Amino acid sequence: EEDAEAIAELDAEKQKEADALMKKLKPAKMAYEYGKEMAARGLKEKNQSRAKKAFDEAGKQFEKALKKAREVIEKEGVEDVAGRWAAAEKRIMGEAVEAYINAGRVALTRSSFTEADNYANKALNVDPTSAEAKEFKNRVETGAVMNSDWGARGINRVAGRGPR
């Protein structure tokens, strides 16, 4: 009987800790949810400028969610959360990369290679190992070379070399 009471007390204590952690993670969760909302808005938007802005905002919100969650988890040092966080972190990073690439794709439809390259760089800053971000960066650079208005000067501009 004493064991059951001790277990119940431990469970109650763990629940309090979990509730306190969730409260601290609320700003991260709100940023993530807003990012999801903005990404969905970008996909539905017919106007390219508004779609690009929505994707850009989604990427920023996902990055904000990552930053806030990382701060809480580092500060709290909660072991059992760290494992679950790793999977969530990877998913949120992927969503941020996707949002920035989508914004870059909109820029490409307008042959705005510099702007598209900026979004490719944002995606790579979120996840330097992302194959999708690397592929998009290569596509932007290839498009800059192939574009008759840009030629070799264009790729130098995108690559950060030469006159802008």
Side-chain angles (χ1 to χ4, degrees):
E1 207 172 297
E2 285 179 28
D3 289 342
E5 285 179 31
I7 291 171
E9 283 180 33
L10 275 175
D11 287 346
E13 188 62 34
K14 279 196 176 266
Q15 187 59 50
K16 279 184 188 177
E17 289 174 12
D19 291 346
L21 184 63
M22 289 310 292
K23 186 175 181 180
K24 290 176 184 173
L25 286 170
K26 189 174 182 178
K29 185 178 182 197
M30 290 175 63
Y32 174 74
E33 288 172 357
Y34 186 57
K36 295 281 285 184
E37 183 182 317
M38 295 306 294
R41 184 180 299 172
L43 289 172
K44 292 177 188 171
E45 184 59 62
K46 304 256 185 269
N47 178 288
Q48 288 185 344
S49 286
R50 287 195 295 260
K52 184 173 55 74
K53 284 180 184 175
F55 289 131
D56 183 59
E57 184 62 27
K60 288 176 184 174
Q61 291 300 317
F62 290 136
E63 284 193 85
K64 182 178 177 181
L66 285 167
K67 181 181 180 217
K68 292 197 173 294
R70 285 173 180 153
E71 288 171 357
V72 169
I73 288 165
E74 281 178 27
K75 186 178 177 186
E76 297 299 311
V78 183
E79 289 298 321
D80 59 330
V81 174
R84 289 181 294 178
W85 166 243
E89 180 180 38
K90 192 71 177 162
R91 186 182 73 244
I92 297 168
M93 287 170 62
E95 291 182 68
V97 165
E98 182 179 351
Y100 284 135
I101 288 173
N102 283 339
R105 285 180 180 136
V106 173
L108 276 183
T109 64
R110 297 183 297 176
S111 296
S112 179
F113 295 101
T114 301
E115 188 176 25
D117 189 61
N118 289 338
Y119 284 114
N121 290 334
K122 285 182 178 188
L124 286 167
N125 283 338
V126 170
D127 184 0
T129 66
S130 168
E132 186 180 3
K134 290 175 185 176
E135 182 181 312
F136 182 69
K137 173 85 171 168
N138 288 336
R139 202 166 86 214
V140 170
E141 290 178 350
T142 300
V145 169
M146 303 304 252
N147 184 294
S148 61
D149 293 339
W150 274 47
R153 270 188 52 202
I155 193 63
N156 285 332
R157 197 175 328 158
V158 167
R161 301 183 296 264
R164 297 211 172 246

